[in-house]
């Protein structure tokens, strides 16, 4: 370490600069927030009531700006900008735009509209680096929204948690000992306590769905190239082996489809020609759904509360008259899918991001090491090796598509959607999110997927099976992570997955399944 | 060369094997063809009349199988298979399928339905190598077509001509001294003399459009991922930097849309999930077209007949009341586009295909050297360099999309299509097809494009300008290539280009423009 003192100062100075920017932005809040306890309670859900005025609370119950969240979910509060924008909108002769006046929070690395924008993407090296807007946010802005807060993401934006040397650790608003998920964990922490009603995350391995699931909100990962990433700050520009997509995260189910409709209606393909030129066409089921249930993925068993959530949802679907079949993954090689996608994440062996972190000497965090250094398939590839793994990816995708198409063999109806867990359980304790398979599977396949809240952990119901014998090392790790008292009140969510490009059908299935569960 | 004698024998033996297969397939024709002159005329257009019986001629005027074309366009005649297939179809209780009984010819490297299929892709190393069907041909077959002939492609399938060590040189049916274009030049030679009414080619730099244009037929390159290449034999499996697409080549305009409609209606994305899941929705113009005319590409000037073809078409469009503006390419860097795409073709510096050719010692042909060794941007790339050039590609595409969108600035209507040359002139003399810019531009952009016949070279009208001063070396090469007498009667075609994914609009514009030219 001795040789690195100068470097270490670099990243520490950078992190201090980002913290100062954040704190200065929070200091703008008026009236000042007072009454935050020195020792924070485990759950942040009641904090707003102890800090906000009755009038503020009345407002935030509808469209909250709960600034001092102590979940550490913000990189910057856009106080001045939001006030100015609200005044600008108020001055218009009449409301204009689908999101007129709606506050929207956003993941920091995407960038931001306006002047003097800096975007670090949670890299110390990029703190204070200028980076402006992107096509998606320009569209939202032109529809009248008010951007008011930017939110944290983890180092490399490739953890299913949210911790970085620049912004520290973001915690779950239901339980400070649990992760809010990641990589859009700043968004999930904020939206999860109604500090924002609608936020924008991004997903390449679960980064919208995992955090949404962990705080019990709605999160949607559309098929790639339905929404543009044009203009975002990201590593490995030009990499196309596996694609990320932005997605909405929200407290309200119907906001998902509204978001998609508005964003696609702007015809983003006229600016970013890589986007699929296809209108958003809401889907309507004319027959009872046919649902395939993925009870597990053949690798890692579910924690008891997740198993219960799935059982409850399936019971409701059956009661509603849906056709329910099993989705048997064992023969479909979800382990191979992980082997492929984890290699596709870092075709340069992680060199570019490692260099970026080493520039300032910032420590490589454990979950960064996990996703780069501890994955056997990650290596610095030649172009030929890259083609080989892309060919494997395409063959895998074709095999999975055939399995889905074959559900209609023998004259039966084709499965409409897969109902499955978005994770092995509720939000994990910090540093334990080392199994991505329940979300990354659908990134490799580029299938649209939505998560929605189902229940919360109940120690009385969700007892651990002491006799369970883990099937492999990953399964053992996950099994040993569970004990009911760690997860009290933690939200438990489920996931609905559709065939590639059947985005509208997935959101229609969400409505049907929630109705079956008694949520009109 | 001395050390290579064994290798040389390898490729020669392989080529002999392919020739024997072809000749054996041609020998099946009954009744036997007689009367082929020893010295072939320059044009093959009258040959069928001297060889075929009156009854055969009567048939071939409608759906010809002109087997012994002497354009050297066939790799194999599927005589037995076609007869058996026709009998099978005849035995059905009623016609079934959109292409019931329709003979379709196909580019060899795509593969073929049936038993014991071998596919060489014109590589000596792959002669006699088994390779079966592909998704597209399975779809056509299930619609009742009769595959009857497989056609030549050049070495590496990356020339705009059609010559290989395996099959020799394919010539233009209008003039043996000219190329039929490439790489789908076997198809164009065959369809160009009505030896087939509908064929399938493939296009990654002009390989459907260039050959179609050079023989005066219709050829369509849709946006990539509208039609599947799933199952084709090709090099560099897994490469996705620049994509090829199959496309129809036909004597009849309306067959293009029929082909697309049928192929998309089969929902190929259920088998090949990379295909865009979007119905084929015929486009109807409700206002007069707005056409942008690309008079040249800023690099290489047009030969006089191509210039005249464009002038005649534009005059017809104006007379029909279309809005006609100029498409000014000079500021859009078509030279940069070539620099990018030529690099994207060979991210391994051509190593894989060079190795494949060296396996048998087959000579590297001049146009192969041209497209691999003589392009400055071709190099063996690292993954980082690959990302860089992909990022350049994406930036270029975005810049071009913006230019198109900006045609609607100032409250004007957006340009519907670009009308442009598919080449600097008519079919080039052999070995002279060293400028791809007029077709490859639209591959880099992934814009759909169709070519259609306009006129033929007329020495009286298409005189060379002796005072023209070439603007650069490429322009000089192209200028010096022209003298009217070389090109007598050669077809001259034009190209219509649409925005990415606006395939249906391009085919609708073709109908409108041809109507304006007096072709209902």
């Amino acid at each position: 370490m001795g040789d690195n003192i100068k470097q270490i100062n670099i990243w520490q100075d950078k992190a201090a600069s980002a913290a100062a920017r954040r704190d200065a932005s929070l200091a703008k809040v008026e009236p000042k927030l007072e009454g935050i306890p020195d020792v924070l309670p485990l759950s942040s859900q009641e904090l707003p009531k102890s800090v906000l005025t009755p009038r503020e609370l009345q407002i935030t119950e509808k469209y909250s700006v709960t600034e001092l969240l102590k979940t550490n979910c913000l990189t910057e509060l856009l106080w001045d900008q939001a006030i100015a924008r609200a005044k600008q909108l108020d001055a218009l002769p009449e409301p204009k735009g689908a999101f007129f006046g709606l506050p929207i929070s956003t993941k920091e690395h995407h960038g931001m509209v306006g002047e003097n924008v800096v975007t670090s993407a949670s890299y110390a090296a990029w703190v204070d680096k200028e980076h402006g807007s992107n096509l998606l946010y320009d569209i939202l802005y032109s529809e009248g929204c008010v951007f008011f807060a930017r939110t944290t993401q983890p180092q490399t934006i490739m953890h299913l948690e949210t911790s970085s040397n620049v912004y520290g650790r973001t915690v779950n608003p239901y339980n400070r000992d649990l992760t809010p998920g990641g990589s859009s964990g700043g968004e999930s922490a904020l939206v999860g306590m109604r500090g924002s009603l609608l936020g924008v995350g991004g997903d390449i391995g679960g980064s919208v769905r995992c955090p949404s699931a962990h705080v019990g909100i709605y999160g949607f990962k559309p098929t790639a190239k339905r929404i543009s990433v044009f203009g975002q700050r990201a590593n490995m520009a030009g990499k196309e082996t596996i694609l990320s997509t932005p997605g909405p995260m929200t407290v309200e189910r119907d906001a998902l489809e509204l978001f998609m409709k508005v964003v696609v209606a702007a015809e983003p393909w006229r600016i970013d020609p890589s986007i699929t030129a296809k209108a958003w066409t809401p889907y309507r089921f004319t027959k009872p759904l046919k649902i395939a249930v993925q009870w597990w993925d053949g690798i890692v068993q579910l924690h008891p509360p997740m198993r219960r959530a799935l059982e409850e949802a399936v019971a409701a679907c059956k009661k509603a008259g849906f056709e329910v079949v099993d989705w048997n993954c064992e023969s479909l090689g979800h382990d191979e899918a992980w082997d492929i996608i984890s290699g596709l994440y870092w075709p340069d062996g992680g060199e570019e991001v490692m260099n970026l972190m080493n520039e300032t000497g910032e420590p490589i965090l454990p979950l960064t090491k996990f996703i780069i250094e501890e994955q056997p398939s990650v290596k610095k590839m030649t172009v030929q090796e890259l083609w080989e793994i892309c060919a494997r990816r395409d063959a895998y995708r074709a095999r999975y598509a055939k399995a889905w198409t074959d559900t209609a063999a023998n004259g039966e109806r084709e499965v409409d959607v897969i109902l499955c867990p978005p994770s092995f359980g509720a939000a994990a304790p910090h540093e334990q999110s080392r199994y991505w398979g329940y979300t990354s599977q659908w990134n490799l396949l580029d299938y649209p997927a939505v998560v929605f809240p189902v229940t919360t952990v109940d120690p009385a119901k969700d007892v651990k099976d002491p006799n369970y014998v883990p099937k492999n090392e990953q399964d053992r790790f996950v099994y040993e992570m569970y004990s009911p008292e760690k997860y009290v009140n933690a939200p438990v969510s489920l996931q609905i997955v559709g065939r590639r490009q059947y985005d509208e059908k997935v959101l229609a299935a969400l409505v049907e399944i929630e109705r079956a569960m008694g949520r009109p």
Side-chain angles (χ1 to χ4, degrees), chain A residues 96-102 104 140 143-146 198 258-259 262-263:
Chain A
K96 184 164 170 282
F99 291 140
F100 184 81
L102 182 76
I104 293 182
L140 298 175
E143 294 292 337
C145 82
V146 179
L198 175 62
L258 176 66
F259 182 94
V262 170
V263 167

Side-chain angles (χ1 to χ4, degrees), chain A residues 337-468:
Chain A
W338 175 250
D339 192 57
I340 296 169
I341 197 171
S342 56
L344 292 175
Y345 286 144
W346 315 100
D348 68 344
E351 189 175 87
E352 182 179 319
V353 299
M354 285 296 182
N355 287 344
L356 190 59
M357 293 183 288
N358 289 336
E359 250 181 54
T360 63
E362 67 167 300
I364 312 301
L365 299 182
L367 290 182
T368 302
K369 289 181 182 166
F370 162 76
I371 195 63
I372 299 178
E373 295 176 356
E374 297 169 21
Q375 299 308 317
S377 60
V378 174
K379 57 180 284 195
K380 183 168 178 166
M381 298 179 195
T382 64
V383 162
Q384 284 86 351
E385 288 168 332
L386 187 73
W387 293 343
E388 275 164 34
I389 193 170
C390 287
R392 277 180 69 205
R393 175 201 65 195
D394 294 346
Y396 187 85
R397 287 173 171 173
R399 196 196 324 158
Y400 221 92
K402 183 172 187 311
W404 197 311
T405 298
D406 283 351
T407 62
N410 310 321
E412 294 179 43
R413 287 166 60 205
E414 184 173 294
V415 160
D416 290 310
V417 290
I418 296 172
L419 179 65
C420 58
S423 171
F424 50 79
H430 299 300
E431 303 297 334
Q432 303 302 300
S433 300
R434 290 164 178 265
Y435 187 73
W436 294 30
Y438 282 100
T439 46
S440 61
Q441 177 70 22
W442 315 117
N443 295 90
L444 180 65
L445 295 169
D446 194 23
Y447 287 2
V450 67
V451 300
F452 62 105
V454 172
T455 184
T456 55
V457 176
D458 180 340
K461 293 179 181 167
D462 303 323
V463 293
K464 188 169 183 170
D465 174 4
N467 300 317
Y468 179 72

